[in-house]
Amino acid sequence: MPDRSNAPSRAWQRMLSGRRLDLLDPSPLDIEIDDIAHGLARVARWNGQTLGAHAFSVAQHTLLVDDIARVTAPDIGAEGRLAVMLHDAPEYVIGDMISPFKVLLGGEYRAVEERLLAAIHRRFGLRPPLPAKLAARIKAADHIAAYYEATRLAGFDEAEAVKYFGHPKGIDPTALDLEPWPAALAETRFLERFGAIAAAAASPRT
């Protein structure tokens, strides 16, 4: 076997686009939406412990949060919706760790996640950090999505879900698509919606 004892440690991820993203110092120039969509469509929410023939992906979750935010925060505009579409984007590199494990890892995980998110925001024209009000509204929509995912897909009873995610308000649950999609479909739908929102965000304001 080859001797790798003196090999330098690797702190970068090779993407299918050919980009090489440095986790310690991520550059916006190494971030591509195709890589994000491809990765998020293949990262499972809830560690894969969900009902259905397919994993409920982070890409599909993102679209669910956007659907909810359009109802609960209709005035955030195209830039706000762009932030919604990117709220879990670092997970295309670092995966979707469940909240209890993030707590165990502590601040180092959060620091890596924040650096990645800041680079992603810059890549797509958002200035980090997000305004506190917008961040709170995205988090609220994210919690509503988590409540319905937890109770319909991940085996939580209602009391557990309310304890951890709060009681959802102002949403018709029958309008939410919680049937897990194949990865290729989640990737395509993510890219289509991201493209439409990004185009709207880039349009001159009238």
Side-chain angles (χ1 to χ4, degrees):
M1 295 180 63
D3 180 8
R4 295 190 176 91
S5 58
N6 295 319
S9 58
R10 181 167 67 90
W12 50 265
Q13 166 76 47
R14 175 72 69 190
M15 303 298 170
L16 289 180
S17 66
R19 298 290 189 183
R20 195 174 83 167
L21 183 64
D22 187 338
L23 298 183
L24 299 178
D25 186 21
S27 168
L29 298 176
D30 291 324
I31 295 166
E32 302 290 350
I33 194 60
D34 287 349
D35 292 330
I36 291 174
H38 185 86
L40 294 186
R42 289 158 177 80
V43 174
R45 292 273 290 170
W46 309 98
N47 272 352
Q49 297 299 308
T50 50
L51 300 173
H54 304 283
F56 191 82
S57 71
V58 176
Q60 185 173 354
H61 162 78
T62 300
L63 297 181
L64 179 63
V65 175
D66 182 54
D67 289 338
I68 292 168
R70 281 189 284 176
V71 176
T72 61
D75 59 337
I76 61 174
E79 288 191 1
R81 287 188 64 199
L82 194 63
V84 172
M85 291 295 295
L86 297 171
H87 80 278
D88 279 337
E91 294 176 8
Y92 90 108
V93 181
I94 58 178
D96 181 26
M97 294 186 182
I98 59 173
S99 296
F101 193 49
K102 290 180 182 179
V103 172
L104 291 175
L105 290 177
E108 286 192 18
Y109 175 89
R110 180 63 63 186
V112 171
E113 185 179 45
E114 289 177 354
R115 281 197 299 269
L116 283 166
L117 186 59
I120 290 165
H121 280 172
R122 291 188 180 97
R123 170 64 177 84
F124 298 108
L126 297 174
R127 181 180 299 177
L130 295 178
K133 183 177 180 180
L134 174 59
R137 297 178 87 178
I138 295 172
K139 179 58 71 176
D142 188 46
H143 280 180
I144 292 171
Y147 171 90
Y148 286 114
E149 292 171 18
T151 53
R152 290 197 187 182
L153 297 172
F156 283 58
D157 62 34
E158 185 175 349
E160 284 179 320
V162 169
K163 178 180 178 180
Y164 294 112
F165 310 114
H167 198 285
K169 297 179 182 179
I171 291 294
D172 176 7
T174 64
L176 303 178
D177 187 352
L178 285 156
E179 183 69 30
W181 304 332
L185 180 60
E187 180 177 352
T188 296
R189 289 180 173 175
F190 182 96
L191 284 171
E192 288 174 349
R193 191 174 304 181
F194 183 90
I197 294 171
S203 296
R205 293 179 177 85
T206 57

